């Protein structure tokens, strides 16, 4: 089992630091190359550059939840959710289908129903 992960291209887990402007301030985000690749795919789907996508995500996250404590962690979770939603068939694998064109409310509702049907990952002690 481990060989599948260990023998993968080592460049995938190497980190890259990208500088960008968020809310008018210069900042940097460090992520593994794998995550940068997924974020670039998401950005392309909606006709955005990577900095535009990151700025939009940061702006909407700040509006919805206030201060952003760990933007890099949020971006990693975004990538995982994007890939998981593709596996569930909620996000088309056809990269010409923009994310912005999807019915987010319906997807979130179906996701909540699926989660409610699953057994808890860690039973209460």
């Amino acid at each position: 089992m481990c060989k599948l992960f260990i023998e993968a291209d080592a460049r995938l887990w190497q980190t890259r630091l990208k500088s960008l402007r968020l809310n008018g301030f210069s900042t940097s985000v460090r992520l593994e190359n794998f995550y940068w690749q997924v974020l670039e795919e998401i950005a392309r789907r909606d006709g955005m550059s990577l900095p535009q996508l990151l700025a939009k995500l940061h702006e909407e996250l700040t509006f919805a939840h206030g201060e952003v404590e760990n933007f890099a962690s949020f971006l990693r979770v975004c990538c995982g959710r994007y890939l998981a939603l593709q596996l569930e068939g909620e996000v088309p694998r056809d990269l010409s289908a923009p994310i912005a064109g999807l019915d987010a409310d319906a997807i979130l509702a179906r996701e909540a129903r699926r989660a409610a049907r699953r057994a808890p990952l860690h039973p209460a002690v």
Side-chain angles (χ1 to χ4, degrees), residues 43-87:
R44 277 193 310 274
R45 288 184 79 133
D46 282 77
M48 288 188 266
S49 67
L50 182 59
Q52 288 171 324
L53 173 66
L54 297 182
K56 184 169 184 62
L57 286 169
H58 189 271
E59 177 185 321
E60 290 184 15
L61 179 62
T62 302
F63 180 78
H65 296 284
E67 188 175 336
V68 178
E69 287 187 32
N70 191 333
F71 190 54
S73 290
F74 170 77
L75 293 173
R76 287 184 190 94
V77 171
C78 287
C79 292
R81 286 187 46 71
Y82 170 75
L83 296 171
L85 289 169
Q86 277 187 324
L87 287 173

Side-chain angles (χ1 to χ4, degrees), residues 11-18 28-37 39 50 54 70-77 79:
R11 291 175 292 187
L12 291 172
W13 67 78
Q14 292 171 348
T15 60
R16 261 190 304 165
L17 185 67
K18 293 196 181 260
S28 298
V29 177
R30 180 180 303 276
L31 292 173
E32 294 75 13
N33 287 322
F34 175 81
Y35 295 111
W36 288 125
Q37 289 173 4
L39 289 167
L50 182 59
L54 297 182
N70 191 333
F71 190 54
S73 290
F74 170 77
L75 293 173
R76 287 184 190 94
V77 171
C79 292

Side-chain angles (χ1 to χ4, degrees), residues 86-107:
Q86 277 187 324
L87 287 173
E88 290 285 345
E90 296 287 4
V91 172
R93 292 186 185 202
D94 176 4
L95 299 182
S96 68
I99 302 291
L102 302 175
D103 185 346
D105 291 331
I107 291 170

